[in-house]
Amino acid sequence: MTQLVDVKVKDQYSQTYEVKARLRQAPEESEAANLDLFQRIEHIVVEGEVILPSIELLFESQQTENIYRVID
C-alpha cells in the first residue's frame, strides 16, 4: 500500500509550499528505512497537479514554470 504524506517543497524562487507526496512502498520495510524521504517519493501533488520527479530528483510542473525541490 502506498502512503500519502505532507512534505515541504521550495520552488526556484525560494517560495515554500506544503504539499502532498505519495511514497513508494519498498518490498521490505528494512529497505525503506535505509532510504531518505526524497528517494521514496513517487510523485507530489501541488494545487491538484501530480508532478513526477526528474532524474535530478526535482519536480517540474507542466502547468506552471515552477520547479520544486523537497526540503522537509
Short mmCIF file of all heavy atoms in Angstrom, two decimals:
data_model
loop_
_atom_site.label_atom_id
_atom_site.label_comp_id
_atom_site.label_asym_id
_atom_site.label_seq_id
_atom_site.Cartn_x
_atom_site.Cartn_y
_atom_site.Cartn_z
N MET A 1 0.83 -1.18 0.00
CA MET A 1 0.00 0.00 0.00
C MET A 1 0.88 1.25 0.00
O MET A 1 1.84 1.34 0.75
CB MET A 1 -0.89 -0.03 1.24
CG MET A 1 -1.75 1.17 1.37
SD MET A 1 -2.44 1.18 3.02
CE MET A 1 -4.11 1.37 2.74
N THR A 2 0.56 2.19 -0.85
CA THR A 2 1.34 3.43 -0.89
C THR A 2 0.86 4.36 0.21
O THR A 2 -0.25 4.23 0.72
CB THR A 2 1.21 4.11 -2.26
OG1 THR A 2 -0.16 4.33 -2.53
CG2 THR A 2 1.84 3.28 -3.35
N GLN A 3 1.71 5.30 0.54
CA GLN A 3 1.42 6.20 1.66
C GLN A 3 1.44 7.64 1.16
O GLN A 3 2.32 8.03 0.40
CB GLN A 3 2.49 5.98 2.72
CG GLN A 3 2.29 6.78 3.97
CD GLN A 3 3.40 6.47 4.98
OE1 GLN A 3 4.35 5.76 4.70
NE2 GLN A 3 3.27 7.03 6.15
N LEU A 4 0.47 8.44 1.60
CA LEU A 4 0.40 9.85 1.26
C LEU A 4 0.82 10.65 2.49
O LEU A 4 0.26 10.46 3.57
CB LEU A 4 -1.03 10.22 0.85
CG LEU A 4 -1.23 11.49 0.06
CD1 LEU A 4 -0.49 11.43 -1.26
CD2 LEU A 4 -2.70 11.73 -0.19
N VAL A 5 1.84 11.51 2.33
CA VAL A 5 2.37 12.28 3.46
C VAL A 5 2.46 13.76 3.08
O VAL A 5 2.46 14.11 1.90
CB VAL A 5 3.77 11.78 3.89
CG1 VAL A 5 3.70 10.35 4.40
CG2 VAL A 5 4.78 11.91 2.78
N ASP A 6 2.54 14.61 4.09
CA ASP A 6 2.75 16.04 3.89
C ASP A 6 4.26 16.30 3.83
O ASP A 6 5.01 15.79 4.67
CB ASP A 6 2.15 16.85 5.03
CG ASP A 6 0.64 16.76 5.07
OD1 ASP A 6 0.02 16.79 4.00
OD2 ASP A 6 0.08 16.67 6.17
N VAL A 7 4.69 17.07 2.85
CA VAL A 7 6.10 17.47 2.75
C VAL A 7 6.17 18.95 2.40
O VAL A 7 5.20 19.53 1.92
CB VAL A 7 6.88 16.65 1.68
CG1 VAL A 7 6.96 15.20 2.05
CG2 VAL A 7 6.28 16.83 0.30
N LYS A 8 7.32 19.53 2.64
CA LYS A 8 7.57 20.92 2.24
C LYS A 8 8.47 20.90 1.03
O LYS A 8 9.43 20.14 0.97
CB LYS A 8 8.23 21.69 3.38
CG LYS A 8 7.31 21.98 4.53
CD LYS A 8 7.98 22.82 5.57
CE LYS A 8 7.04 23.03 6.74
NZ LYS A 8 7.68 23.79 7.81
N VAL A 9 8.12 21.74 0.06
CA VAL A 9 8.94 21.89 -1.14
C VAL A 9 9.24 23.38 -1.32
O VAL A 9 8.53 24.24 -0.81
CB VAL A 9 8.25 21.33 -2.40
CG1 VAL A 9 8.04 19.83 -2.29
CG2 VAL A 9 6.94 22.03 -2.70
N LYS A 10 10.31 23.63 -2.06
CA LYS A 10 10.69 25.01 -2.36
C LYS A 10 10.84 25.12 -3.87
O LYS A 10 11.38 24.23 -4.51
CB LYS A 10 12.02 25.33 -1.67
CG LYS A 10 12.42 26.80 -1.75
CD LYS A 10 13.70 27.05 -0.99
CE LYS A 10 13.38 27.21 0.47
NZ LYS A 10 14.50 27.76 1.25
N ASP A 11 10.33 26.23 -4.42
CA ASP A 11 10.48 26.42 -5.86
C ASP A 11 11.75 27.21 -6.17
O ASP A 11 12.51 27.58 -5.26
CB ASP A 11 9.23 27.06 -6.47
CG ASP A 11 8.98 28.50 -6.02
OD1 ASP A 11 9.88 29.12 -5.42
OD2 ASP A 11 7.87 29.00 -6.29
N GLN A 12 11.99 27.46 -7.45
CA GLN A 12 13.22 28.13 -7.86
C GLN A 12 13.27 29.59 -7.41
O GLN A 12 14.31 30.22 -7.46
CB GLN A 12 13.43 28.03 -9.38
CG GLN A 12 12.48 28.85 -10.22
CD GLN A 12 11.21 28.13 -10.61
OE1 GLN A 12 10.69 27.29 -9.89
NE2 GLN A 12 10.69 28.47 -11.79
N TYR A 13 12.14 30.12 -6.91
CA TYR A 13 12.10 31.48 -6.40
C TYR A 13 12.18 31.51 -4.87
O TYR A 13 11.91 32.53 -4.25
CB TYR A 13 10.81 32.17 -6.86
CG TYR A 13 10.63 32.11 -8.36
CD1 TYR A 13 9.64 31.33 -8.92
CD2 TYR A 13 11.48 32.82 -9.21
CE1 TYR A 13 9.48 31.26 -10.30
CE2 TYR A 13 11.33 32.75 -10.59
CZ TYR A 13 10.33 31.97 -11.12
OH TYR A 13 10.18 31.90 -12.47
N SER A 14 12.50 30.37 -4.28
CA SER A 14 12.67 30.19 -2.83
C SER A 14 11.36 30.34 -2.05
O SER A 14 11.38 30.57 -0.85
CB SER A 14 13.72 31.15 -2.26
OG SER A 14 14.98 30.85 -2.82
N GLN A 15 10.24 30.17 -2.73
CA GLN A 15 8.95 30.17 -2.04
C GLN A 15 8.68 28.75 -1.56
O GLN A 15 8.86 27.78 -2.30
CB GLN A 15 7.82 30.63 -2.95
CG GLN A 15 6.51 30.75 -2.23
CD GLN A 15 5.47 31.51 -3.02
OE1 GLN A 15 5.77 32.12 -4.05
NE2 GLN A 15 4.24 31.48 -2.55
N THR A 16 8.24 28.61 -0.31
CA THR A 16 8.00 27.31 0.29
C THR A 16 6.51 26.97 0.23
O THR A 16 5.66 27.83 0.44
CB THR A 16 8.47 27.31 1.76
OG1 THR A 16 9.86 27.65 1.77
CG2 THR A 16 8.29 25.95 2.40
N TYR A 17 6.21 25.70 -0.05
CA TYR A 17 4.84 25.19 -0.13
C TYR A 17 4.74 23.91 0.70
O TYR A 17 5.69 23.14 0.75
CB TYR A 17 4.47 24.81 -1.57
CG TYR A 17 4.62 25.91 -2.58
CD1 TYR A 17 5.85 26.18 -3.17
CD2 TYR A 17 3.52 26.66 -2.99
CE1 TYR A 17 5.99 27.18 -4.11
CE2 TYR A 17 3.66 27.66 -3.94
CZ TYR A 17 4.90 27.92 -4.49
OH TYR A 17 5.02 28.90 -5.42
N GLU A 18 3.58 23.70 1.29
CA GLU A 18 3.29 22.41 1.92
C GLU A 18 2.40 21.66 0.95
O GLU A 18 1.34 22.14 0.56
CB GLU A 18 2.60 22.61 3.26
CG GLU A 18 3.54 23.16 4.31
CD GLU A 18 3.00 23.04 5.71
OE1 GLU A 18 2.17 22.15 5.97
OE2 GLU A 18 3.43 23.85 6.53
N VAL A 19 2.86 20.47 0.53
CA VAL A 19 2.15 19.69 -0.47
C VAL A 19 2.05 18.24 -0.02
O VAL A 19 2.64 17.85 0.99
CB VAL A 19 2.88 19.75 -1.85
CG1 VAL A 19 3.00 21.19 -2.32
CG2 VAL A 19 4.24 19.10 -1.80
N LYS A 20 1.31 17.46 -0.76
CA LYS A 20 1.19 16.02 -0.51
C LYS A 20 2.19 15.28 -1.38
O LYS A 20 2.46 15.68 -2.51
CB LYS A 20 -0.22 15.52 -0.83
CG LYS A 20 -1.32 16.12 0.01
CD LYS A 20 -1.28 15.56 1.40
CE LYS A 20 -2.48 16.07 2.19
NZ LYS A 20 -2.39 15.69 3.58
N ALA A 21 2.72 14.20 -0.85
CA ALA A 21 3.64 13.35 -1.61
C ALA A 21 3.20 11.90 -1.43
O ALA A 21 2.85 11.47 -0.33
CB ALA A 21 5.07 13.52 -1.12
N ARG A 22 3.20 11.16 -2.52
CA ARG A 22 2.91 9.73 -2.46
C ARG A 22 4.24 9.00 -2.42
O ARG A 22 5.11 9.23 -3.25
CB ARG A 22 2.09 9.26 -3.64
CG ARG A 22 1.75 7.77 -3.52
CD ARG A 22 0.69 7.31 -4.49
NE ARG A 22 -0.55 8.03 -4.42
CZ ARG A 22 -1.56 7.76 -3.59
NH1 ARG A 22 -1.44 6.79 -2.72
NH2 ARG A 22 -2.67 8.45 -3.62
N LEU A 23 4.39 8.13 -1.41
CA LEU A 23 5.64 7.39 -1.24
C LEU A 23 5.54 6.02 -1.87
O LEU A 23 4.49 5.38 -1.82
CB LEU A 23 5.96 7.23 0.25
CG LEU A 23 6.09 8.51 1.07
CD1 LEU A 23 6.43 8.17 2.51
CD2 LEU A 23 7.12 9.45 0.48
N ARG A 24 6.65 5.59 -2.47
CA ARG A 24 6.73 4.23 -2.99
C ARG A 24 6.80 3.27 -1.81
O ARG A 24 7.42 3.56 -0.80
CB ARG A 24 8.00 4.03 -3.81
CG ARG A 24 8.03 4.74 -5.10
CD ARG A 24 9.30 4.36 -5.87
NE ARG A 24 9.49 5.29 -6.95
CZ ARG A 24 10.22 6.40 -6.86
NH1 ARG A 24 10.86 6.69 -5.77
NH2 ARG A 24 10.32 7.21 -7.88
N GLN A 25 6.23 2.12 -2.00
CA GLN A 25 6.33 1.09 -0.97
C GLN A 25 7.53 0.23 -1.31
O GLN A 25 7.64 -0.32 -2.40
CB GLN A 25 5.08 0.24 -0.92
CG GLN A 25 5.14 -0.82 0.16
CD GLN A 25 3.86 -1.61 0.23
OE1 GLN A 25 2.89 -1.30 -0.43
NE2 GLN A 25 3.86 -2.64 1.03
N ALA A 26 8.45 0.13 -0.37
CA ALA A 26 9.61 -0.74 -0.56
C ALA A 26 9.18 -2.18 -0.36
O ALA A 26 8.30 -2.45 0.46
CB ALA A 26 10.71 -0.37 0.44
N PRO A 27 9.78 -3.12 -1.09
CA PRO A 27 9.42 -4.52 -0.91
C PRO A 27 9.63 -5.00 0.53
O PRO A 27 8.87 -5.80 1.03
CB PRO A 27 10.36 -5.27 -1.85
CG PRO A 27 10.87 -4.25 -2.80
CD PRO A 27 10.77 -2.92 -2.12
N GLU A 28 10.63 -4.45 1.17
CA GLU A 28 10.92 -4.80 2.56
C GLU A 28 10.94 -3.53 3.39
O GLU A 28 11.48 -2.52 2.96
CB GLU A 28 12.29 -5.50 2.66
CG GLU A 28 12.39 -6.79 1.89
CD GLU A 28 11.57 -7.90 2.53
OE1 GLU A 28 11.42 -7.89 3.76
OE2 GLU A 28 11.09 -8.76 1.79
N GLU A 29 10.37 -3.57 4.58
CA GLU A 29 10.38 -2.41 5.46
C GLU A 29 11.80 -1.98 5.78
O GLU A 29 12.09 -0.80 5.92
CB GLU A 29 9.61 -2.69 6.76
CG GLU A 29 8.12 -2.55 6.61
CD GLU A 29 7.69 -1.15 6.22
OE1 GLU A 29 8.17 -0.16 6.81
OE2 GLU A 29 6.86 -1.03 5.31
N SER A 30 12.72 -2.93 5.90
CA SER A 30 14.11 -2.58 6.21
C SER A 30 14.74 -1.77 5.09
O SER A 30 15.57 -0.90 5.33
CB SER A 30 14.93 -3.85 6.48
OG SER A 30 14.93 -4.68 5.33
N GLU A 31 14.33 -2.01 3.84
CA GLU A 31 14.84 -1.24 2.71
C GLU A 31 14.34 0.19 2.78
O GLU A 31 15.08 1.13 2.51
CB GLU A 31 14.41 -1.86 1.38
CG GLU A 31 15.10 -3.16 1.06
CD GLU A 31 14.61 -3.74 -0.26
OE1 GLU A 31 14.31 -2.95 -1.18
OE2 GLU A 31 14.54 -4.96 -0.37
N ALA A 32 13.09 0.38 3.14
CA ALA A 32 12.50 1.71 3.24
C ALA A 32 13.20 2.53 4.33
O ALA A 32 13.39 3.73 4.18
CB ALA A 32 11.01 1.62 3.53
N ALA A 33 13.59 1.88 5.40
CA ALA A 33 14.27 2.57 6.49
C ALA A 33 15.63 3.10 6.07
O ALA A 33 16.12 4.08 6.63
CB ALA A 33 14.41 1.64 7.68
N ASN A 34 16.25 2.49 5.06
CA ASN A 34 17.58 2.91 4.60
C ASN A 34 17.52 4.04 3.59
O ASN A 34 18.56 4.60 3.25
CB ASN A 34 18.32 1.72 3.99
CG ASN A 34 18.66 0.67 5.01
OD1 ASN A 34 18.82 0.97 6.19
ND2 ASN A 34 18.74 -0.57 4.57
N LEU A 35 16.34 4.38 3.08
CA LEU A 35 16.21 5.41 2.07
C LEU A 35 15.78 6.73 2.70
O LEU A 35 14.99 6.75 3.64
CB LEU A 35 15.16 5.01 1.02
CG LEU A 35 15.46 3.77 0.19
CD1 LEU A 35 14.27 3.45 -0.70
CD2 LEU A 35 16.71 3.98 -0.65
N ASP A 36 16.31 7.84 2.17
CA ASP A 36 15.85 9.16 2.58
C ASP A 36 14.44 9.37 2.04
O ASP A 36 14.04 8.74 1.06
CB ASP A 36 16.76 10.25 2.03
CG ASP A 36 18.12 10.26 2.72
OD1 ASP A 36 18.20 9.90 3.91
OD2 ASP A 36 19.10 10.63 2.04
N LEU A 37 13.71 10.28 2.66
CA LEU A 37 12.33 10.55 2.25
C LEU A 37 12.24 10.89 0.77
O LEU A 37 11.43 10.33 0.05
CB LEU A 37 11.73 11.69 3.09
CG LEU A 37 10.34 12.15 2.67
CD1 LEU A 37 9.32 11.04 2.87
CD2 LEU A 37 9.94 13.40 3.41
N PHE A 38 13.10 11.80 0.29
CA PHE A 38 13.00 12.22 -1.11
C PHE A 38 13.26 11.08 -2.08
O PHE A 38 12.80 11.11 -3.21
CB PHE A 38 13.92 13.42 -1.40
CG PHE A 38 15.39 13.10 -1.38
CD1 PHE A 38 16.04 12.67 -2.52
CD2 PHE A 38 16.12 13.24 -0.21
CE1 PHE A 38 17.39 12.38 -2.50
CE2 PHE A 38 17.47 12.95 -0.18
CZ PHE A 38 18.11 12.52 -1.32
N GLN A 39 13.98 10.05 -1.65
CA GLN A 39 14.24 8.90 -2.51
C GLN A 39 13.03 7.97 -2.61
O GLN A 39 12.96 7.16 -3.52
CB GLN A 39 15.44 8.10 -1.99
CG GLN A 39 16.74 8.87 -2.08
CD GLN A 39 17.87 8.14 -1.42
OE1 GLN A 39 17.75 7.68 -0.28
NE2 GLN A 39 18.98 8.03 -2.12
N ARG A 40 12.10 8.09 -1.68
CA ARG A 40 10.91 7.24 -1.67
C ARG A 40 9.70 7.90 -2.33
O ARG A 40 8.66 7.28 -2.48
CB ARG A 40 10.56 6.88 -0.22
CG ARG A 40 11.65 6.04 0.44
CD ARG A 40 11.29 5.67 1.86
NE ARG A 40 9.98 5.07 1.92
CZ ARG A 40 9.14 5.23 2.95
NH1 ARG A 40 9.48 5.97 3.98
NH2 ARG A 40 7.96 4.64 2.94
N ILE A 41 9.81 9.17 -2.74
CA ILE A 41 8.67 9.88 -3.30
C ILE A 41 8.39 9.43 -4.73
O ILE A 41 9.25 9.50 -5.59
CB ILE A 41 8.89 11.41 -3.23
CG1 ILE A 41 8.93 11.85 -1.78
CG2 ILE A 41 7.79 12.14 -4.01
CD1 ILE A 41 9.22 13.33 -1.59
N GLU A 42 7.17 8.99 -4.94
CA GLU A 42 6.71 8.58 -6.27
C GLU A 42 6.28 9.80 -7.07
O GLU A 42 6.58 9.92 -8.25
CB GLU A 42 5.55 7.60 -6.11
CG GLU A 42 5.00 7.05 -7.38
CD GLU A 42 3.90 6.04 -7.10
OE1 GLU A 42 4.18 5.03 -6.44
OE2 GLU A 42 2.76 6.31 -7.54
N HIS A 43 5.53 10.70 -6.42
CA HIS A 43 5.12 11.97 -7.04
C HIS A 43 4.66 12.92 -5.95
O HIS A 43 4.43 12.50 -4.82
CB HIS A 43 4.02 11.78 -8.09
CG HIS A 43 2.71 11.32 -7.54
ND1 HIS A 43 2.30 10.01 -7.61
CD2 HIS A 43 1.71 11.99 -6.91
CE1 HIS A 43 1.10 9.91 -7.05
NE2 HIS A 43 0.72 11.09 -6.62
N ILE A 44 4.57 14.21 -6.30
CA ILE A 44 4.00 15.20 -5.40
C ILE A 44 2.74 15.77 -6.04
O ILE A 44 2.57 15.68 -7.26
CB ILE A 44 4.99 16.33 -5.04
CG1 ILE A 44 5.41 17.13 -6.28
CG2 ILE A 44 6.21 15.77 -4.30
CD1 ILE A 44 6.25 18.37 -5.97
N VAL A 45 1.88 16.34 -5.21
CA VAL A 45 0.65 16.96 -5.71
C VAL A 45 0.67 18.42 -5.27
O VAL A 45 0.64 18.72 -4.07
CB VAL A 45 -0.61 16.25 -5.16
CG1 VAL A 45 -1.86 16.91 -5.71
CG2 VAL A 45 -0.58 14.77 -5.49
N VAL A 46 0.75 19.33 -6.26
CA VAL A 46 0.78 20.76 -6.00
C VAL A 46 -0.43 21.38 -6.68
O VAL A 46 -0.56 21.30 -7.90
CB VAL A 46 2.07 21.41 -6.53
CG1 VAL A 46 2.08 22.90 -6.26
CG2 VAL A 46 3.30 20.74 -5.94
N GLU A 47 -1.32 21.96 -5.88
CA GLU A 47 -2.54 22.60 -6.40
C GLU A 47 -3.28 21.70 -7.37
O GLU A 47 -3.70 22.12 -8.45
CB GLU A 47 -2.19 23.95 -7.03
CG GLU A 47 -1.62 24.94 -6.04
CD GLU A 47 -1.22 26.27 -6.66
OE1 GLU A 47 -1.42 26.47 -7.88
OE2 GLU A 47 -0.71 27.10 -5.90
N GLY A 48 -3.40 20.42 -7.03
CA GLY A 48 -4.13 19.46 -7.83
C GLY A 48 -3.34 18.82 -8.96
O GLY A 48 -3.82 17.90 -9.60
N GLU A 49 -2.15 19.30 -9.24
CA GLU A 49 -1.32 18.75 -10.31
C GLU A 49 -0.38 17.68 -9.75
O GLU A 49 0.35 17.91 -8.79
CB GLU A 49 -0.47 19.84 -10.97
CG GLU A 49 0.42 19.32 -12.08
CD GLU A 49 1.36 20.36 -12.66
OE1 GLU A 49 1.46 21.48 -12.11
OE2 GLU A 49 2.00 20.04 -13.68
N VAL A 50 -0.41 16.51 -10.36
CA VAL A 50 0.50 15.42 -9.99
C VAL A 50 1.80 15.64 -10.76
O VAL A 50 1.79 15.74 -11.99
CB VAL A 50 -0.11 14.05 -10.33
CG1 VAL A 50 0.90 12.94 -10.09
CG2 VAL A 50 -1.38 13.82 -9.53
N ILE A 51 2.92 15.75 -10.02
CA ILE A 51 4.21 16.04 -10.65
C ILE A 51 5.18 14.92 -10.32
O ILE A 51 5.45 14.62 -9.16
CB ILE A 51 4.77 17.39 -10.17
CG1 ILE A 51 3.74 18.51 -10.38
CG2 ILE A 51 6.08 17.71 -10.88
CD1 ILE A 51 4.14 19.84 -9.79
N LEU A 52 5.71 14.30 -11.37
CA LEU A 52 6.68 13.22 -11.21
C LEU A 52 8.09 13.78 -11.08
O LEU A 52 8.39 14.85 -11.62
CB LEU A 52 6.61 12.28 -12.43
CG LEU A 52 5.25 11.64 -12.70
CD1 LEU A 52 5.28 10.87 -14.00
CD2 LEU A 52 4.85 10.75 -11.55
N PRO A 53 8.98 13.06 -10.40
CA PRO A 53 10.35 13.55 -10.25
C PRO A 53 11.16 13.38 -11.54
O PRO A 53 10.91 12.48 -12.33
CB PRO A 53 10.92 12.67 -9.14
CG PRO A 53 10.15 11.40 -9.24
CD PRO A 53 8.77 11.80 -9.69
N SER A 54 12.14 14.26 -11.70
CA SER A 54 13.09 14.12 -12.80
C SER A 54 14.27 13.30 -12.31
O SER A 54 14.33 12.91 -11.14
CB SER A 54 13.56 15.50 -13.28
OG SER A 54 14.34 16.10 -12.26
N ILE A 55 15.23 13.09 -13.17
CA ILE A 55 16.43 12.34 -12.80
C ILE A 55 17.16 13.02 -11.64
O ILE A 55 17.71 12.38 -10.78
CB ILE A 55 17.36 12.18 -14.02
CG1 ILE A 55 16.68 11.29 -15.05
CG2 ILE A 55 18.71 11.62 -13.62
CD1 ILE A 55 17.40 11.21 -16.36
N GLU A 56 17.13 14.34 -11.60
CA GLU A 56 17.82 15.10 -10.56
C GLU A 56 17.02 15.18 -9.27
O GLU A 56 17.38 15.90 -8.36
CB GLU A 56 18.11 16.53 -11.05
CG GLU A 56 18.97 16.61 -12.27
CD GLU A 56 18.16 16.53 -13.56
OE1 GLU A 56 16.92 16.68 -13.52
OE2 GLU A 56 18.76 16.28 -14.61
N LEU A 57 15.91 14.44 -9.17
CA LEU A 57 15.00 14.45 -8.02
C LEU A 57 14.37 15.82 -7.80
O LEU A 57 14.07 16.22 -6.69
CB LEU A 57 15.71 13.96 -6.75
CG LEU A 57 16.17 12.51 -6.83
CD1 LEU A 57 16.94 12.13 -5.58
CD2 LEU A 57 15.00 11.57 -7.02
N LEU A 58 14.16 16.54 -8.89
CA LEU A 58 13.40 17.77 -8.87
C LEU A 58 12.05 17.48 -9.50
O LEU A 58 11.89 16.52 -10.24
CB LEU A 58 14.13 18.87 -9.66
CG LEU A 58 15.49 19.28 -9.14
CD1 LEU A 58 16.16 20.24 -10.12
CD2 LEU A 58 15.40 19.88 -7.76
N PHE A 59 11.07 18.32 -9.21
CA PHE A 59 9.71 18.11 -9.71
C PHE A 59 9.34 19.33 -10.55
O PHE A 59 9.14 20.42 -10.02
CB PHE A 59 8.75 17.95 -8.53
CG PHE A 59 9.04 16.73 -7.70
CD1 PHE A 59 10.00 16.77 -6.71
CD2 PHE A 59 8.35 15.55 -7.91
CE1 PHE A 59 10.28 15.65 -5.94
CE2 PHE A 59 8.62 14.43 -7.15
CZ PHE A 59 9.59 14.48 -6.17
N GLU A 60 9.25 19.15 -11.87
CA GLU A 60 8.97 20.26 -12.78
C GLU A 60 7.50 20.23 -13.20
O GLU A 60 7.03 19.26 -13.79
CB GLU A 60 9.87 20.16 -14.01
CG GLU A 60 9.71 21.33 -14.94
CD GLU A 60 10.69 21.31 -16.09
OE1 GLU A 60 11.57 20.42 -16.13
OE2 GLU A 60 10.58 22.18 -16.96
N SER A 61 6.81 21.32 -12.92
CA SER A 61 5.40 21.44 -13.27
C SER A 61 5.23 21.58 -14.77
O SER A 61 6.00 22.29 -15.43
CB SER A 61 4.79 22.66 -12.57
OG SER A 61 3.47 22.89 -13.04
N GLN A 62 4.23 20.93 -15.33
CA GLN A 62 3.88 21.07 -16.74
C GLN A 62 2.87 22.19 -16.94
O GLN A 62 2.67 22.66 -18.06
CB GLN A 62 3.32 19.76 -17.30
CG GLN A 62 4.30 18.60 -17.22
CD GLN A 62 5.55 18.85 -18.04
OE1 GLN A 62 5.48 19.20 -19.21
NE2 GLN A 62 6.71 18.69 -17.42
N GLN A 63 2.22 22.64 -15.85
CA GLN A 63 1.19 23.68 -15.95
C GLN A 63 1.72 25.07 -15.62
O GLN A 63 1.16 26.06 -16.05
CB GLN A 63 0.03 23.34 -15.00
CG GLN A 63 -0.67 22.06 -15.38
CD GLN A 63 -1.77 21.69 -14.42
OE1 GLN A 63 -2.05 22.41 -13.48
NE2 GLN A 63 -2.40 20.56 -14.65
N THR A 64 2.78 25.14 -14.83
CA THR A 64 3.40 26.43 -14.48
C THR A 64 4.89 26.33 -14.80
O THR A 64 5.36 25.29 -15.23
CB THR A 64 3.22 26.75 -12.99
OG1 THR A 64 3.98 25.81 -12.21
CG2 THR A 64 1.76 26.69 -12.56
N GLU A 65 5.62 27.38 -14.56
CA GLU A 65 7.05 27.37 -14.80
C GLU A 65 7.85 26.91 -13.57
O GLU A 65 9.07 26.95 -13.58
CB GLU A 65 7.52 28.76 -15.21
CG GLU A 65 6.92 29.23 -16.52
CD GLU A 65 7.37 30.63 -16.89
OE1 GLU A 65 8.14 31.24 -16.13
OE2 GLU A 65 6.94 31.10 -17.95
N ASN A 66 7.16 26.47 -12.52
CA ASN A 66 7.84 26.15 -11.27
C ASN A 66 8.54 24.81 -11.30
O ASN A 66 8.05 23.84 -11.88
CB ASN A 66 6.86 26.19 -10.11
CG ASN A 66 6.39 27.58 -9.79
OD1 ASN A 66 6.92 28.55 -10.31
ND2 ASN A 66 5.41 27.69 -8.93
N ILE A 67 9.68 24.78 -10.63
CA ILE A 67 10.44 23.56 -10.40
C ILE A 67 10.59 23.45 -8.88
O ILE A 67 11.03 24.40 -8.23
CB ILE A 67 11.83 23.63 -11.06
CG1 ILE A 67 11.65 23.79 -12.58
CG2 ILE A 67 12.64 22.39 -10.73
CD1 ILE A 67 12.94 24.08 -13.31
N TYR A 68 10.20 22.30 -8.35
CA TYR A 68 10.17 22.12 -6.89
C TYR A 68 11.25 21.16 -6.43
O TYR A 68 11.61 20.21 -7.14
CB TYR A 68 8.81 21.57 -6.46
CG TYR A 68 7.65 22.44 -6.87
CD1 TYR A 68 6.93 22.16 -8.02
CD2 TYR A 68 7.29 23.54 -6.12
CE1 TYR A 68 5.87 22.97 -8.41
CE2 TYR A 68 6.22 24.35 -6.49
CZ TYR A 68 5.52 24.06 -7.63
OH TYR A 68 4.47 24.85 -8.01
N ARG A 69 11.74 21.41 -5.21
CA ARG A 69 12.72 20.54 -4.57
C ARG A 69 12.20 20.25 -3.16
O ARG A 69 11.77 21.17 -2.45
CB ARG A 69 14.08 21.24 -4.49
CG ARG A 69 15.15 20.46 -3.76
CD ARG A 69 16.48 21.19 -3.81
NE ARG A 69 16.41 22.57 -3.37
CZ ARG A 69 16.63 22.96 -2.11
NH1 ARG A 69 16.88 22.10 -1.18
NH2 ARG A 69 16.54 24.24 -1.81
N VAL A 70 12.21 19.01 -2.76
CA VAL A 70 11.74 18.63 -1.42
C VAL A 70 12.76 19.12 -0.41
O VAL A 70 13.96 18.88 -0.54
CB VAL A 70 11.56 17.10 -1.31
CG1 VAL A 70 11.19 16.70 0.11
CG2 VAL A 70 10.50 16.62 -2.28
N ILE A 71 12.27 19.82 0.63
CA ILE A 71 13.16 20.31 1.67
C ILE A 71 12.90 19.70 3.01
O ILE A 71 13.73 19.74 3.90
CB ILE A 71 13.12 21.86 1.78
CG1 ILE A 71 11.71 22.36 2.07
CG2 ILE A 71 13.69 22.50 0.54
CD1 ILE A 71 11.63 23.84 2.38
N ASP A 72 11.72 19.12 3.21
CA ASP A 72 11.40 18.51 4.51
C ASP A 72 10.22 17.59 4.37
O ASP A 72 9.25 17.86 3.78
CB ASP A 72 11.10 19.61 5.53
CG ASP A 72 10.91 19.08 6.93
OD1 ASP A 72 11.48 18.03 7.26
OD2 ASP A 72 10.20 19.75 7.71
#
